[in-house]
């Protein structure tokens, strides 16, 4: 009898709970947790379709009577095309087994420069969302505001590997927010906090000039020189962005410098080595160096352990057409390092390292 | 056909009917989602604690955001299989499921531990604690236990063999305080202490990182158990009323999941400070989370029984009879408003509604509704996260401080501990491999220090101290990079 029941039950797919969302935005008919799901991702201001948004759907299965817990999970990922549309099919391999129930489906949409969108909540309050439907959802992505918290955004976002990869750049600013915002940090290390708070921002402008870049690469055009936009200058971090006027990003050069004390600098270098695309360790400069390559951008970074400094250069291949060029730029930058006022080592020793970014433009 | 055969056939049909009923009788309700609630509470608690600073101190500069690898290939085969299955069950949308590479942030590992503490869900039977008696979930042998066992059988939570052997969940469990120390709990306090120490002492860097992940998972597991001490059903031995009346679990937990989700939970109250681990849960001074929850709130199955009334029934009689039906001395009933009109009233304690009641004309009916749940959640959720943050700080209260001088390193025991412990010092070479310095398993008292001369070629020194004081066992660690 038990064996008969076990065969019968285990051959069934999961019980599917009622969906908390409707089948379409204009109907009261309940949707289906299994899907399929489709919709349109648009810019919240212009209402224009957004291409390149990562769309991740997750099906969560649970089991248990009374006390319930996770039993299985599935995820499907898509990316919006030029028309901004996404479509997720009903998953093929549904988990089987006694008592397994599909309890929820969650859709997450993320595109850099915008606030993440979840079908079950709204950033930053987390209040429940009511405008999600199985099909025909218009996902309106709001522009990211500089006053928003990257840490809270990461906590809100969740998501599997594809979302994590797309949002990896936010780990760096989130880490700094977390460290600066922590009352425990201030109370545990008041002296350090006071030093960091009162010191001036790091300024790396002496490290590399437009003429030096031109001299190395032979580029005849103009640059607009500013800072990379992916994180703010602080006491321990600064950047330079040589943006080629009227040229694509492949002509840009970026320079990032962390002056964070020897231990954190070492960790930061290891992080770059682990996270930058196609990064390989070299012994060309400093105590350690690396080369990386992602798309049309080449990267070079090196560690100066004693000074507690990590420098990272990014250069578009239209600018750095030969591998030696980026190395020469790095050597020029190092030669000017004595002209930069670095923070005292004891004020930097415990500050967090930062996540990688290879794009010279460093756009958010 | 023989009579016995007919009887057997009838029995078979009846059994098949029961089986079909068990399979298809689950009401299609909105999801009850303990996973998002535990994950969210744990995240709030972690953020309020000093875990971020402690990790940064231990050479993990990104602290809570530091990517860490679980290294399942380092586990033995059975353990690896079991952990893989549990991790694969986690919802990717929750933000606490590692990628296929086994990597996620340190804070995410703690959240994962909080959810895995109830994966499989039967583990939750060990999260109950009556602070007055110290008992866990218990149930008299009877029909409800049998019925639950049968339903578990059909639900896949038990097998015929496990039911026969008594190993399936049958409304009994260890008390929460026994469970967090149980050798059978891979997410308990011993697992945290052992792995926190191994995260310093193991030779290979991958193995140390893997041990750190397991320590963080265990932290989440312990926090999950404490968080349930802020759920009235768990501190009022109320499995039957709170969890079995509806197949989709506790109505209160479902309310919290639907209204707050994972990311909408309120921020933690200030981290609570308590003298030892047990007193975060329950203590004679009544300041344990289970004490506070039990005396202030009802659960679905421990509200007063409905009281039949007649025209001349006095309010005092209703109050007395309702009180007599209570299993716990508090909350108690003092004054009820019983006008003939069938309007809903609330019993309020300390400014929050804890019980709803109505005079139907023939009886006074007691119940919990969304207004009560809303007040419970508003009061309890920040408090739970504050207790969990405090417990985390308590477990991390010991601190080693290593200071590099010209040719030597000084190791000092600081933090809030009152007793010392056994200190071990390790030297790390350029490849990240560590070995213990011989003769260094020495005792170190609070405020005391020893000086170590690193051998030539050493790249790092690391130290770990394991001890015990009135607050319980602790592990302190630090490491320093050599010039």
């Amino acid at each position: 009898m038990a064996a008969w029941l076990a065969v019968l039950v285990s051959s069934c797919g999961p019980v599917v709970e009622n969906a908390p969302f409707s089948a379409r935005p204009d109907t009261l008919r309940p949707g289906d947790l299994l899907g399929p799901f489709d919709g349109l991702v648009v810019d919240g201001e212009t209402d224009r379709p957004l291409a390149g948004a990562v769309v991740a759907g997750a099906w969560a299965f649970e089991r248990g009577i009374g006390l319930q817990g996770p039993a299985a999970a599935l995820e499907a990922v898509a990316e919006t095309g030029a028309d901004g549309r996404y479509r997720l099919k009903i998953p093929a391999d549904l988990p089987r087994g006694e008592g397994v129930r599909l309890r929820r489906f969650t859709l997450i949409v993320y595109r850099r420069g915008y606030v993440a969108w979840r079908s079950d909540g709204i950033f930053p309050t987390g209040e429940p969302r009511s405008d999600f439907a199985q099909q025909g959802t218009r996902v309106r992505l709001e522009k990211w505001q500089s006053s928003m918290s990257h840490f809270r955004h990461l906590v809100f976002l969740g998501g599997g590997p594809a979302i994590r990869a797309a949002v990896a750049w936010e780990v760096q600013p989130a880490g700094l927010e977390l460290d600066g915002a922590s009352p425990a940090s201030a109370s545990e290390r008041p002296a350090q906090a006071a030093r960091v708070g009162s010191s001036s921002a790091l300024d790396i402008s002496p490290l590399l000039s437009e003429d030096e870049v031109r001299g190395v690469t032979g580029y005849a055009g103009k640059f607009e020189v500013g800072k990379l936009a992916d994180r703010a200058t602080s006491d321990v971090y600064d950047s330079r962005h040589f943006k080629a006027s009227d040229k694509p990003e492949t002509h840009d050069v970026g320079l990032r410098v962390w002056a964070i004390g020897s231990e954190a600098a070492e960790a930061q270098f290891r992080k770059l080595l682990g996270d930058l695309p196609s990064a390989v360790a070299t012994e060309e400069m400093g105590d350690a160096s690396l080369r990386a390559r992602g798309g049309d951008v080449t990267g070079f970074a090196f560690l100066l352990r004693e000074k507690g400094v990590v420098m990272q250069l990014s250069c578009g291949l239209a600018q750095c057409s030969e591998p030696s060029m980026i190395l020469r730029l790095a050597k020029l930058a190092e030669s000017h390092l004595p002209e930069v006022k670095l923070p005292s080592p004891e004020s930097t020793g415990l500050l967090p390292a930062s996540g990688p970014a290879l794009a010279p433009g460093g756009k958010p | 056909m023989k009579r016995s055969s007919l009887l057997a056939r009838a029995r078979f049909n009846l059994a098949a009917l029961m089986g079909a009923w068990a399979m298809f009788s689950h009401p299609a309700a909105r999801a009850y989602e303990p996973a998002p609630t535990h994950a969210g509470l744990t995240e709030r608690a972690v953020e309020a604690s000093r875990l971020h600073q402690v990790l940064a101190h231990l050479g993990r500069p990104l602290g809570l955001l530091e990517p860490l690898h679980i290294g399942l290939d380092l586990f033995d085969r059975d353990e690896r299989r079991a952990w893989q299955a549990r991790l694969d069950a986690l919802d990717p949308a929750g933000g606490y499921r590692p990628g296929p590479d086994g990597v996620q942030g340190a804070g995410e590992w703690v959240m994962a531990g909080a959810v895995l503490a109830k994966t499989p869900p039967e583990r939750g039977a060990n999260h109950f604690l009556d602070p007055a008696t110290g008992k866990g979930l218990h149930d008299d042998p009877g029909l409800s236990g049998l019925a639950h066992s049968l339903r578990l059988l059909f639900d896949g939570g038990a097998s015929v063999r496990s039911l026969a052997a008594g190993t399936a969940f049958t409304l009994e469990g260890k008390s929460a305080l026994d469970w967090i120390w149980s050798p059978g709990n891979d997410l308990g306090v011993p697992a945290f202490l052992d792995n926190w120490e191994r995260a310093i002492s193991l030779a290979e860097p991958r193995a140390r990182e893997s041990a750190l992940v397991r320590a963080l998972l265990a932290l989440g597991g312990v926090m999950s158990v404490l968080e349930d001490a802020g759920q009235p059903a768990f501190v009022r031995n109320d499995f039957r009323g709170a969890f079995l009346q509806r197949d989709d679990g506790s109505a209160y937990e479902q309310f919290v999941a639907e209204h707050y989700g994972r990311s909408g939970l309120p921020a933690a109250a200030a981290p609570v400070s308590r003298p030892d681990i047990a007193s975060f849960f329950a203590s004679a001074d009544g300041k344990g989370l289970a004490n506070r929850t039990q005396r202030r709130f009802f659960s679905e199955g421990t509200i007063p029984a409905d009281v039949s009334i007649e025209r001349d029934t006095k309010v005092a009689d209703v109050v007395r009879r309702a009180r007599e039906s209570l299993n716990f001395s508090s909350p108690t009933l003092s004054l009820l408003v019983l006008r003939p009109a069938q309007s809903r009233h609330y019993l309020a304690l300390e400014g929050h509604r804890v019980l709803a009641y109505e005079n139907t004309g023939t009886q006074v009916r007691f119940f919990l509704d969304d207004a009560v749940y809303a007040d419970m959640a508003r009061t309890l959720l920040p408090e739970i996260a504050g207790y969990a943050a405090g417990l985390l700080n308590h477990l991390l209260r010991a601190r080693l401080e290593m200071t590099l001088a010209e040719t030597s390193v000084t190791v000092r025991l600081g933090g809030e501990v009152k007793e010392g412990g056994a200190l071990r010092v390790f030297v790390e070479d350029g490849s990240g491999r560590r070995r213990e310095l011989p003769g260094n398993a020495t005792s170190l008292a609070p405020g005391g220090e020893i000086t170590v001369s690193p051998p030539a070629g050493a790249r790092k020194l690391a130290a770990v101290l394991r001890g015990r004081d009135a607050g319980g066992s602790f592990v302190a660690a630090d490491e320093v990079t050599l010039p």
Side-chain angles (χ1 to χ4, degrees):
Chain A
M1 167 66 194
W4 176 81
L5 268 177
V7 169
L8 176 67
V9 172
S10 61
S11 64
C12 297
V15 173
V16 179
E17 301 279 6
N18 274 359
F21 45 79
S22 60
R24 297 194 60 83
D26 55 358
T27 178
L28 294 176
R29 187 164 56 86
D32 186 340
L33 282 178
L34 276 173
F37 298 90
D38 63 56
L40 175 66
V41 180
V42 300
D43 182 300
E45 284 177 17
T46 65
D47 232 24
R48 287 183 178 163
L50 278 175
V54 180
V55 180
W59 290 264
F61 300 83
E62 294 188 349
R63 72 162 186 82
I65 292 282
L67 299 172
Q68 300 175 21
L74 295 171
E75 189 181 34
V77 179
E79 189 171 306
T80 56
D83 61 357
R85 297 202 172 275
Y86 68 85
R87 180 175 175 78
L88 301 176
K89 295 176 185 171
I90 295 174
D93 298 319
L94 294 175
R96 296 179 180 276
E98 305 101 344
V100 175
R101 294 164 223 162
L102 174 54
R103 303 308 299 255
R104 59 186 175 271
F105 170 83
T106 310
L107 189 81
I108 302 175
V109 182
Y110 176 76
R111 188 175 188 275
R112 189 165 175 171
Y114 292 86
V115 175
W117 192 100
R118 282 183 65 110
S119 60
D120 60 352
I122 299 170
F123 182 79
T125 60
E127 67 181 281
R129 178 178 289 285
S130 57
D131 59 354
F132 172 63
Q134 182 189 338
Q135 294 182 298
T137 299
R138 203 173 181 85
V139 176
R140 301 170 65 88
L141 295 187
E142 302 299 330
K143 285 259 169 50
W144 180 261
Q145 307 292 321
S146 58
S147 59
M148 292 172 170
S149 161
H150 288 284
F151 178 72
R152 293 249 61 85
H153 195 229
L154 287 179
V155 168
F156 166 80
L157 191 54
I163 293 286
R164 280 207 179 112
V167 81
W169 72 275
E170 281 203 69
V171 171
Q172 174 179 301
L176 283 181
E177 272 175 26
L178 193 58
D179 201 63
S182 165
S185 173
S187 63
E188 284 189 356
R189 301 189 184 93
Q192 178 191 339
R195 274 196 297 274
V196 171
S198 61
S199 61
S200 58
L202 182 65
D203 178 11
I204 63 161
S205 55
L207 293 185
L208 203 58
S209 69
E210 291 175 69
D211 288 339
E212 285 172 323
V213 176
R214 286 196 200 93
V216 169
T217 66
Y219 180 64
K222 289 184 178 176
F223 289 107
E224 296 165 25
V225 183
K227 291 183 188 295
L228 294 164
D230 56 0
R231 56 163 299 185
T233 293
S234 71
D235 308 37
V236 295
Y237 172 84
D238 195 18
S239 64
R240 296 277 276 175
H241 183 195
F242 299 86
K243 185 179 178 186
S245 303
D246 305 315
K247 294 284 185 184
E249 200 179 22
T250 51
H251 289 74
D252 289 5
V253 177
L255 173 63
R256 295 173 170 84
V257 175
W258 293 265
I260 47 182
S262 58
E263 201 168 338
E266 193 143 4
Q268 170 68 5
F269 181 80
R270 281 203 307 271
K271 183 162 185 56
L272 293 176
L273 189 58
D275 293 350
L276 285 176
S278 308
V280 289
T282 63
E283 291 184 356
E284 295 169 282
M285 272 187 72
D287 297 297
S289 60
L290 67 85
R291 282 183 181 267
R293 174 79 179 267
D296 293 324
V297 181
T298 183
F300 183 85
F302 63 96
L303 166 71
L304 299 172
R305 191 174 291 122
E306 192 177 340
K307 289 188 167 66
V309 167
V310 174
M311 284 196 207
Q312 184 204 334
L313 277 140
S314 308
C315 190
L317 290 179
Q319 185 70 246
C320 291
S321 54
E322 295 173 19
S324 62
M325 289 178 176
I326 196 167
L327 179 62
R328 287 167 62 196
L329 290 175
K331 286 185 172 172
L332 274 171
E334 187 195 18
S335 70
H336 292 305
L337 195 58
E339 300 167 44
V340 174
K341 186 183 174 191
L342 298 175
S344 62
E346 60 271 30
S347 71
T348 60
L350 294 168
L351 285 171
S354 309
L358 195 53
K363 289 169 188 165
Chain B
M1 191 176 285
K2 290 181 180 175
R3 181 182 164 78
S4 59
S5 165
L6 280 171
L7 192 58
R9 178 74 180 269
R11 278 181 182 155
F12 182 85
N13 287 342
L14 180 61
L17 193 63
M18 284 175 61
W21 169 83
M23 280 184 290
F24 300 114
S25 65
H26 302 301
R30 291 286 298 275
Y32 158 59
E33 302 170 79
T37 304
H38 274 299
L41 284 170
T42 302
E43 186 277 319
R44 292 291 192 266
V46 164
E47 197 184 336
S49 76
R50 56 175 177 243
L51 179 60
H52 175 72
Q53 285 72 31
V54 170
L55 288 169
H57 198 64
L58 282 178
R60 307 287 176 181
L62 283 175
L64 295 177
L65 299 166
E66 182 79 16
L68 296 172
H69 180 236
I70 190 168
L72 285 176
D73 56 310
L74 301 171
F75 295 28
D76 70 47
R77 196 184 64 175
D78 291 344
E79 203 181 21
R80 177 168 67 242
R81 196 176 296 165
W83 274 98
Q84 189 68 65
R86 289 166 78 186
L87 293 171
D88 286 348
L90 296 176
D91 183 359
Y96 42 77
R97 173 172 153 147
D101 55 359
V103 174
Q104 64 179 345
E108 290 160 346
W109 281 116
V110 185
M111 285 163 63
V115 179
L116 291 172
K118 287 184 170 176
T119 309
E122 292 76 26
R123 291 173 60 106
N126 302 309
H127 287 210
F128 285 72
L129 175 68
D130 180 342
T133 64
K135 280 186 175 178
L137 178 64
H138 55 95
D139 190 58
D140 295 330
L143 190 60
S144 70
L146 176 62
H148 181 68
S149 300
L150 287 172
R151 290 165 72 192
L152 276 176
L153 171 64
F154 294 127
D155 191 59
S159 65
V160 173
R161 190 171 294 172
S162 64
L163 283 174
T167 55
F169 170 42
T170 52
L171 303 188
E172 301 281 341
K174 289 183 188 294
S175 85
L177 281 172
D178 288 341
W179 179 237
I180 60 168
W181 288 102
S182 168
N185 179 5
D186 55 4
L187 297 170
V189 177
F192 162 70
L193 294 170
D194 291 347
N195 283 296
W196 197 252
E197 182 176 13
R198 287 153 51 90
I200 295 293
S201 67
L202 290 178
E204 299 296 335
R206 283 189 72 237
R208 291 198 299 275
E209 185 164 326
S210 183
L212 179 57
V213 167
R214 295 193 71 166
L216 295 171
L217 285 166
L219 274 181
V222 176
M223 291 165 77
S224 177
V225 181
L226 177 61
E227 285 157 12
D228 276 337
Q231 211 282 52
F234 280 87
V235 296
R236 299 171 74 87
N237 191 40
D238 184 16
F239 186 84
R240 214 180 295 181
F243 293 98
L244 282 188
Q245 287 188 359
R246 307 148 43 97
D247 276 355
D248 54 337
S250 152
Y252 169 61
E253 289 191 353
Q254 186 177 332
F255 175 91
V256 172
E258 286 185 356
H259 286 76
Y260 293 93
R262 176 182 58 86
S263 57
L265 289 161
V272 172
S273 179
R274 301 291 293 147
D276 54 39
I277 293 172
S279 65
F280 279 91
F281 291 78
S283 62
D285 65 7
K287 292 180 180 172
L289 181 57
N291 301 103
R292 291 176 58 78
T293 306
Q294 189 193 66
R295 72 168 172 264
R296 291 182 299 164
F297 295 99
F298 292 102
S299 61
E300 290 90 336
T302 61
I303 58 175
D306 297 345
V307 177
S308 299
I309 55 171
E310 295 175 0
R311 292 185 71 146
D312 56 349
T313 303
K314 294 189 170 84
V315 174
D317 291 334
V318 175
V319 170
R320 178 181 52 76
R321 284 158 61 192
R323 271 185 184 166
E324 286 170 358
S325 69
L326 292 173
N327 291 330
F328 294 89
S329 58
S330 58
T332 189
L333 306 181
S334 49
L335 184 66
L336 301 177
V337 179
L338 295 173
R339 296 196 179 89
Q342 294 183 13
S343 56
R344 185 172 296 190
H345 294 277
Y346 293 95
L347 176 70
L349 292 175
E350 299 175 16
H352 40 253
R353 291 164 289 191
V354 299
L355 183 66
Y357 59 96
E358 284 176 349
N359 174 4
T360 66
T362 57
Q363 64 174 3
V364 177
R365 192 172 71 87
F366 297 95
F367 53 97
L368 306 181
D369 64 5
D370 279 3
V372 173
Y373 292 149
D375 280 10
M376 279 168 64
R378 206 166 19 245
T379 308
L380 283 169
L381 295 175
E383 190 173 318
I384 293 168
Y387 268 79
L391 176 61
L392 223 168
N393 287 345
H394 182 84
L395 288 166
L396 301 170
R397 69 193 184 283
R399 224 171 32 237
L400 274 186
E401 290 156 6
M402 299 181 81
T403 310
L404 178 64
E406 282 186 5
T407 57
S408 62
V409 172
T410 304
V411 187
R412 183 177 177 277
L413 176 60
E416 301 163 8
V417 293
K418 304 288 186 284
E419 302 284 343
L423 177 76
R424 299 162 69 196
V425 181
F426 301 83
V427 60
E428 182 178 318
D429 63 21
S431 69
R433 188 174 171 80
R434 286 184 184 172
R435 63 180 170 84
E436 187 168 357
L437 283 180
N440 264 301
T442 181
S443 65
L444 187 63
E449 58 184 44
I450 66 160
T451 301
V452 181
S453 296
R459 187 177 177 189
K460 262 188 182 181
L461 275 190
V464 64
L465 179 143
R466 190 151 179 173
R468 181 180 179 82
D469 65 3
S473 300
F474 60 82
V475 176
D478 195 11
E479 53 186 56
V480 64
T481 301
L482 302 169

